[in-house]
């Protein structure tokens, strides 16, 4: 590995809908501590410590979440929590992070883009792959994507088709990326798994600043211009962001850069990664009783099976009787009761809820006239 | 009807378990206003007004519920809400009420024992039958039980087998009671319904003080003695009750008196009576949507059918997704999620809950040492 500095950037967005009511817009999924005692955000920093010094760990998040993020991550310098003035998907966040890393450490610095709300079952394996990916990125002009070797035909993740092997001189195996593919249907996912030529796209990648700058220039002149402005030490980062963000495209880094770039290699590995997209996938990561129930908090059950029942610290007493295959989540403010097979439609019932809330407000308003 | 005074006694006990979490020990079912805007207790007084003056309406309830009862029934004189020092089933309450009525109006007075937490769908019909039952009781030495003509083979109520017709000179039809029978199984209930010779035992009966005194003397000397002591104008009622109650048998009026008495007649009628014993029977009395859901309070549903979902005034937002045949009830403190077919086992899950609560407390206690 060339002499350079290694930085980590944690993208910490999220609308808080998928794990409602535990998660809310003010406390999206990465703040939940239901998966392992500490919040997912804190876990995502903790697993870097020793590999990346806190001074080189950046978190990019929404303005509204900055205070909560700083409280959750007291080991980070305040300036390392970067506020996005408005929501603009991942491409803008990556360009901003690239600019900040260049500003601090120059074009030769290497940065990893990481996630705030995923689970890594095998932290040791994750750190090995991440370190090797950083070496590979430092020693080449490739963007390194951290692929995950699939162990079941998941339809909930995107995939990367891989080509020939690439020798990076590290213990980790790397292959050239051929193309990024969207979430497949079930037969396609089976085919991907059987072929051995596909990795899950975990949304984590590692690059040298100069490499990402070139990729931004090719993929999106607007984002390249944002990167340069952020990197300019004569300008204040917050001011640049507040001026530029409203006009930026809402586009993911996959669309803006990765799908257009030809210099992408994929690290292979299985470090127990899961993005835990819904309540129904949560029970893979939570302790279950003999009847395959996940029970947390002030919950009593009788004749209940295959059910997730959670009441949070401020939540009510919950009694559950004679049901199967439900997700029941209660906080002091809200309660969800859903069939487990339907939790992917959680956003739809929240839309019904906010419509009704709107209708009630309107009714009240009219009455007031 | 002989010249006499007519009194109404509302037995207002209840443990608050059957409609948990809306009902609680501090607010048992008769305080719920979910069935028709006003509380069932208030409704049970309101439907008497015009027939019985408030001064002659007594409520017998637990000490702990006296204040709430007086707040709920401001039209009643304070002394008409009678506190039982401890729980002793219905026989003790009836003997107490008999004593109070004798004390105030003598042995010729007539009293009806009524319920605080039942629904009368047809108040007009109920008042007619009640008035005729009072006349029949005044003009004879019979105890009049208000039977309800069954319209389906209910297994949740006790029945009264009826014999020959009795002419009381009123518009209501009366028959002599042969025997009281417990809640039947389904085939037996069908047989009862088909025979036409059985009425539901609604737990409401009307008697002259002298008649009830004789029945108490025959059925339970202890209760007869309580009645006399309460009736004695030289003694304070509250003092008599606090001295006698702890030693009284826990026995229902059906066991103590009705099943032993031979002078019982049954009024026939159908006034839309229901004791609404469980959440699953509640939907007979609540407005349903097109998919047969009962939805009350801050509740949003998507793809939900045959479900009762209620959030009370202090309750949380509730979102329900893709479920059938559930009972979901939420308050600020507690949430119930049960299969509708299992709500008769609600007490069992509450027992699990209180055990776990006890275990947690014990654990905490130990930790503290």
């Amino acid at each position: 590995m060339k002499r350079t500095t290694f930085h980590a950037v944690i993208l910490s967005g999220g609308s808080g809908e998928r794990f409602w009511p535990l998660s809310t817009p003010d406390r999206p999924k990465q703040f939940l501590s239901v998966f392992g005692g500490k919040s997912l955000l804190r876990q995502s920093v903790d697993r870097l410590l020793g590999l990346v010094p806190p001074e080189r760990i950046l978190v990019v998040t929404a303005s509204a979440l900055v205070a909560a993020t700083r409280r959750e991550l007291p080991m980070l310098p305040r300036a390392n929590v970067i506020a996005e003035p408005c929501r603009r998907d991942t491409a803008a966040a990556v360009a901003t992070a690239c600019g900040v890393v260049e500003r601090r450490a120059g074009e030769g610095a290497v940065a990893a883009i990481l996630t705030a709300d995923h689970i890594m079952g095998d932290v040791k394996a994750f750190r090995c792959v991440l370190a090797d990916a950083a070496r590979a990125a430092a020693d080449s002009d490739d963007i390194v994507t951290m692929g995950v070797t699939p162990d079941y035909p998941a339809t909930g993740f995107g995939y990367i088709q891989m080509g020939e092997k690439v020798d990076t001189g590290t213990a980790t195996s790397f292959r050239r990326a051929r193309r990024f593919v969207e979430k497949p249907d079930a037969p396609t996912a089976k085919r991907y798994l059987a072929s051995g030529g596909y990795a899950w796209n975990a949304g984590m990648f590692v690059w040298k600043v100069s490499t990402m700058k070139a990729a931004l220039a090719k993929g999106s002149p607007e984002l390249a211009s944002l990167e340069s402005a952020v990197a300019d030490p004569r300008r204040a980062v917050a001011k640049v962001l507040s001026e530029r963000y409203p006009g930026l495209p809402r586009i993911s880094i996959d669309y803006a850069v990765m799908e257009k770039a030809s210099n992408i290699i994929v690290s292979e590995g299985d470090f127990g990664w899961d993005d835990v997209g819904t309540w129904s996938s949560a029970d893979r990561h939570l302790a279950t009783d003999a009847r395959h129930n996940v029970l947390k908090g002030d919950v009593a059950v009788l004749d209940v099976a295959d059910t997730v029942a959670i009441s949070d610290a401020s939540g009510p007493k919950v009694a559950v009787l004679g049901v199967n295959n439900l997700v029941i989540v209660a906080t002091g403010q809200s309660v969800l009761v859903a069939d487990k097979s339907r939790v992917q439609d959680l956003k739809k019932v929240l839309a019904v809820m906010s419509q009704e809330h709107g209708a009630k407000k309107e009714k009240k308003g009219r009455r007031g006239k």
Side-chain angles (χ1 to χ4, degrees), chain A:
Chain A
M1 188 173 173
K2 285 186 191 164
R3 246 184 211 224
T4 178
T5 52
F6 180 40
H7 304 253
V9 178
I10 296 170
L11 302 188
S12 185
S15 64
E17 283 187 318
R18 292 189 303 173
F19 285 84
W20 187 90
L22 279 201
S23 67
T24 60
D26 299 337
R27 190 178 68 162
K29 180 183 154 204
Q30 62 268 33
F31 288 93
L32 300 189
S33 57
V34 71
F35 304 103
K38 289 182 181 175
S39 73
L40 291 170
L41 177 59
R42 177 65 180 257
Q43 290 178 48
S44 67
V45 170
D46 283 355
R47 65 179 160 247
L48 297 173
L49 297 177
L51 193 63
V52 189
E55 298 74 34
R56 293 188 194 144
I57 300 174
L58 301 172
V59 178
V60 183
T61 192
S63 304
L65 298 176
V66 165
T69 301
R70 287 184 175 141
R71 273 196 303 277
E72 192 61 24
L73 303 173
M75 70 290 271
L76 298 195
R78 285 174 59 84
N80 283 22
V81 179
I82 297 163
E84 295 186 281
C86 51
R87 278 181 80 120
R88 284 295 177 272
D89 215 324
T90 50
V94 172
T96 299
C98 188
V100 173
V101 174
E102 181 181 354
R103 181 186 180 107
R104 294 188 178 183
E107 290 204 355
V110 171
I113 296 291
L114 302 169
T115 52
D117 62 354
H118 293 176
I119 286 177
M120 308 292 170
D122 184 346
V123 170
K124 218 170 175 181
F126 168 75
R127 288 165 62 101
C128 289
V129 175
L130 180 61
D132 286 350
R135 270 180 218 115
D139 292 343
S140 74
D141 293 324
D142 287 329
I143 297 176
V144 183
T145 291
M146 293 177 73
V148 176
T149 308
D151 56 3
Y152 70 100
T155 56
F157 310 138
Y159 285 71
I160 307 164
Q161 189 185 17
M162 298 179 294
E164 67 277 17
K165 291 228 168 203
V166 177
D167 183 12
T168 62
T170 69
T172 298
S173 157
F174 289 83
R175 293 167 72 176
R176 198 146 290 283
R178 275 209 190 127
R179 69 188 173 107
F180 284 71
V181 290
E182 294 284 307
K183 294 175 186 178
D185 58 17
T188 309
K190 275 185 191 164
R191 199 158 44 77
Y192 288 172
L193 181 65
S195 79
Y198 289 81
W200 286 333
N201 180 2
M204 300 186 288
F205 38 96
V206 190
W207 32 260
K208 216 161 39 190
V209 168
S210 55
T211 306
M212 180 50 65
K213 287 184 74 162
L216 288 169
K218 187 175 166 190
S220 165
E222 263 175 310
L223 293 173
S225 159
L226 171 71
E227 194 278 339
S228 301
V230 171
D232 185 343
R234 294 163 302 182
R235 307 175 70 172
V237 173
K239 191 150 186 292
V240 170
L241 298 184
S242 69
E243 283 167 13
R244 301 285 188 106
Y245 249 69
L248 293 178
R250 291 165 192 264
I251 186 170
S252 74
I253 190 70
D254 281 7
Y255 280 108
V257 167
M258 306 301 274
E259 293 176 8
K260 292 172 187 165
S262 53
N263 57 332
I264 299 179
I265 62 173
V266 186
S267 67
E268 293 188 275
D270 174 8
F271 32 83
W273 172 85
D274 192 350
D275 88 343
V276 210
T278 63
W279 277 120
S280 62
S281 54
D283 57 5
R284 292 203 297 264
H285 303 283
L286 296 168
T288 56
D289 71 7
R291 302 188 70 180
H292 208 251
N293 297 306
V294 172
L295 306 176
K296 282 189 168 264
D298 201 352
V299 173
V301 299
L302 182 68
D303 299 338
V304 170
D306 300 314
T307 287
V308 175
I310 297 176
S311 184
D312 80 351
S314 66
K317 277 175 200 274
V318 177
V320 189
L321 172 61
V323 302
N324 292 304
N325 224 48
L326 294 186
V327 172
I328 301 163
V329 184
T331 69
Q333 286 74 47
S334 308
V335 176
L336 168 68
V337 179
D339 193 87
K340 218 187 242 183
S341 69
R342 293 296 305 280
V343 288
Q344 76 280 8
D345 293 329
L346 183 48
K347 287 185 184 191
K348 293 185 191 165
V349 72
L350 295 183
V352 171
M353 182 166 263
S354 70
Q355 270 170 28
E356 287 182 358
H357 207 68
K360 271 178 203 159
K361 265 193 181 163
E362 206 185 310
K363 223 173 163 187
K364 263 194 187 164
R366 270 199 219 124
R367 212 182 291 147
K369 277 176 196 176

